[in-house]
Amino acid sequence: MQRAIFCDFDGTIARSEVFVALMRHFAPQAAARILPEIYAQRLTLRDGLPQVLGTIPSWRWPELEDFVRDTEIRPGLDGLLAHANQAGIPFIVVTGGFTRMAEIVLAPYRQEIYAIHGLEVDTTGEWLRVSSPWQDDQELVAKAAVVAHYHPRDAVCIGDSITDLRVARQCPLVCARDRLAEYLRAEGRDFLPFDDFADVSAALDQRGWWREPAHAG
């Protein structure tokens, strides 16, 4: 694979932080205690998220799916996907939240998306149990591991929050907003700010991504 676009879901494709809202709605006490520790980088995502999600009864899973069905998409996604597909560049969604939630929201765009990776859920027990084939010692979904799996010669990573920070430190080109932009700015790292996906399309156009078609291999 010559080039690839790796894009976060919550707060990036979805205009709101759906996963965070979901945790605060279905596990309010655990979320209030754990999420600030994660944002302050005092607790890893791998250790923190199961403490929140593991307090949600499995029988409520259908309610969680319903919770995301009216999620609003950030403007410009259709244009970015069209550019990527025309140029032969895989668009890969990597979410720190549930794979299933991203699949529900992105169903109208699914044929234009190369793959969706995120948290998997086991509802066979009394409480939700989460896992991911991409977990490492710090994250349940180590986005850098997903990028490495595809071996792109060149890549752009698009994100907005703490789940995107580690991969942003390694990605050749980063488009960032919200918390991710604050983290990168504090670390003195370069990134391209964006508000919607038209900004991302324009930034990649300026760097020749659309004028020089690449093909997955």
Side-chain angles (χ1 to χ4, degrees), residues 17 78 103 190:
E17 286 280 358
D78 51 352
E103 288 174 341
D190 292 333

Side-chain angles (χ1 to χ4, degrees), residues 22-204:
L22 182 151
M23 289 188 285
R24 287 175 172 161
H25 181 82
F26 291 96
Q29 293 182 345
R33 185 178 72 255
I34 298 298
L35 292 181
E37 296 299 301
I38 292 175
Y39 286 134
Q41 302 184 65
R42 291 188 293 264
L43 186 63
T44 66
L45 288 157
R46 177 171 180 171
D47 291 337
L49 290 182
Q51 294 183 47
V52 179
L53 300 170
T55 67
I56 303 175
S58 292
W59 64 265
R60 300 199 72 181
W61 179 254
E63 295 178 51
L64 273 70
E65 291 194 356
D66 289 339
F67 188 85
V68 307
R69 293 190 188 278
D70 295 326
T71 297
E72 186 177 357
I73 297 294
R74 188 170 301 281
L77 178 63
D78 51 352
L80 178 58
L81 288 171
H83 282 303
N85 278 270
Q86 185 175 5
I89 299 172
F91 186 94
I92 299 162
V93 176
V94 192
T95 175
F98 293 114
T99 304
R100 175 59 182 155
M101 303 316 184
E103 288 174 341
I104 289 172
V105 176
L106 294 173
Y109 306 92
R110 192 61 185 85
Q111 289 187 336
E112 300 171 87
I113 295 172
Y114 190 83
I116 299 175
H117 300 291
L119 283 178
E120 306 305 325
V121 63
D122 181 353
T123 61
T124 59
E126 183 178 0
W127 308 96
L128 294 185
R129 289 180 292 178
V130 293
S131 63
S132 163
W134 310 104
Q135 64 185 5
D136 64 10
D137 61 345
Q138 294 189 51
E139 297 178 283
L140 283 172
V141 181
K143 297 187 177 185
V146 179
V147 175
H149 170 76
Y150 285 99
H151 302 293
R153 190 177 67 185
D154 198 5
V156 57
C157 298
I158 310 169
D160 79 307
S161 195
I162 187 69
T163 62
D164 307 298
L165 179 56
R166 289 179 71 209
V167 70
R169 290 169 174 157
Q170 302 177 31
C171 201
L173 181 63
V174 177
C175 295
R177 61 180 307 279
D178 202 35
R179 286 182 185 270
L180 179 61
E182 294 175 10
Y183 291 132
L184 296 177
R185 195 174 290 114
E187 294 183 3
R189 297 181 184 273
D190 292 333
F191 66 92
L192 301 173
F194 75 98
D195 182 51
D196 59 30
F197 287 113
D199 299 331
V200 176
S201 293
L204 294 181

